[in-house]
Amino acid sequence: MTDTLVPTKHAITRVRHEPRRRILTVQNVERITPQMARITLGGDLAGFNSASYDDHVKVFFPLPGRDAPTIPLPDAPEGAERSPGRDYTPRRYDAARNELVLDFALHDAGPATSWAVQAKAGQQLAVGGPRGSFVVPDDFDWYLFIGDETALPAIGRRLEELRAGARAIVVAAITGPEEKQKFTSRAQVETIWVERPLSRAEDPAPLLNAARALTLPKTGDGYAWAAGESQTAKLLRRHLLDERGLDKAFVKAAGYWKRGAVSIHETHND
């Protein structure tokens, strides 16, 4: 089912997908930067659909000492053993190759990082979703993407999808120059790397100050997207609306993590 959310020439739509959990097998593991692992999965991907760059799937990791994830059935008794799950962006899906690529930022000490740092070909994960996609057409004149390490998979995917002739501005927070990624795009891309220590990952100032220092295009229609630490994403959205005067319909912000919270995904609409 598809719903049109913004009935203009920039017709933003929401597409719903049939939810399904799949057991997938690691095909390849690559460190694209010291703190970012790219893991290619294969297996039960028939019918998988990810229509938007900021989709998220729920990834379930094996319990300690196990080789495969434990996913209880819906009618399992309360307290049944289950694998921990976390939300991740499908970095790339190739139906012809039957491959799903996920990027893992290796910073926290949770089950996702613990699994990803030792991941090897042949190991298994369970993946559920996406439940739906928020599809933004590639008919804007310019795009602005702001985020921390957790937002880079979505940003990288969107840059690869943009058409030639579009302009994209990226503001990304990382821990140091070794974490800079090389993005591929047909669009004209300007990337501003904001270096700050991991101890300041929750501090909104580095990204907010960089956003305030930007010179945005004065002509054409733009779309802005911000994601990362939840409060930072919320403040970035307020800046873009209140201080920059961007159209509310064309500004999206999402919280991908929050200190002390487990597996969150918060959308900031107000």
Side-chain angles (χ1 to χ4, degrees):
M1 180 181 295
T2 301
D3 298 323
T4 300
L5 304 180
V6 183
T8 68
K9 65 176 180 177
H10 306 297
I12 297 174
T13 58
R14 189 181 302 280
V15 181
R16 294 177 175 84
H17 309 303
E18 181 180 355
R20 179 182 166 190
R21 290 179 178 175
R22 309 163 187 269
I23 299 295
L24 303 179
T25 302
V26 175
Q27 306 294 316
N28 186 60
V29 180
E30 175 188 4
R31 284 289 179 93
I32 57 173
T33 70
Q35 296 299 321
M36 186 72 75
R38 176 161 295 167
I39 297 181
T40 302
L41 303 166
D44 179 21
L45 285 165
F48 183 86
N49 190 1
S50 176
S52 179
Y53 67 99
D54 63 346
D55 285 348
H56 59 278
V57 293
K58 184 75 73 175
V59 181
F60 299 91
F61 303 92
L63 293 163
R66 304 286 182 87
D67 295 325
T70 302
I71 309 298
L73 296 173
D75 57 353
E78 184 177 350
E81 196 174 43
R82 66 180 64 236
S83 290
R86 298 292 186 269
D87 289 336
Y88 278 87
T89 300
R91 178 61 177 79
R92 184 180 304 113
Y93 171 58
D94 188 328
R97 296 173 63 90
N98 198 49
E99 291 180 346
L100 174 64
V101 176
L102 302 176
D103 285 357
F104 291 78
L106 308 177
H107 287 305
D108 63 23
T113 290
S114 297
W115 180 86
V117 296
Q118 61 78 60
K120 300 176 180 63
Q123 294 179 336
Q124 291 187 320
L125 290 177
V127 173
R131 291 180 176 273
S133 300
F134 186 85
V135 182
V136 178
D138 184 15
D139 60 0
F140 289 87
D141 300 292
W142 58 271
Y143 299 83
L144 172 63
F145 305 103
I146 311 176
D148 62 17
E149 295 90 343
T150 63
L152 290 179
I155 292 172
R157 173 175 168 178
R158 185 55 165 168
L159 293 178
E160 289 180 357
E161 296 171 349
L162 290 179
R163 73 189 190 282
R167 179 183 177 187
I169 303 170
V170 176
V171 182
I174 54 174
T175 55
E178 69 282 357
E179 291 303 314
K180 293 181 180 179
Q181 295 187 23
K182 294 182 179 180
F183 298 124
T184 300
S185 183
R186 291 168 296 178
Q188 176 188 346
V189 180
E190 174 188 2
T191 304
I192 299 165
W193 297 103
V194 179
E195 297 180 20
R196 48 87 175 105
L198 189 59
S199 60
R200 293 190 65 190
E202 289 178 279
D203 183 356
L207 279 176
L208 199 56
N209 290 340
R212 286 177 171 144
L214 286 176
T215 299
L216 297 180
K218 298 185 182 299
T219 60
D221 295 337
Y223 184 88
W225 181 88
E229 194 282 324
S230 191
Q231 181 63 14
T232 299
K234 186 175 183 179
L235 291 173
L236 286 166
R237 185 173 187 274
R238 292 269 36 110
H239 162 69
L240 295 171
L241 296 179
D242 298 343
E243 300 177 42
R244 296 290 189 153
L246 298 186
D247 190 327
K248 181 179 180 179
F250 302 139
V251 178
K252 184 181 180 185
Y256 281 2
W257 66 277
K258 182 189 297 183
R259 187 72 66 188
V262 175
S263 191
I264 73 160
H265 189 283
E266 297 181 331
T267 299
H268 299 299
N269 293 320
D270 296 305

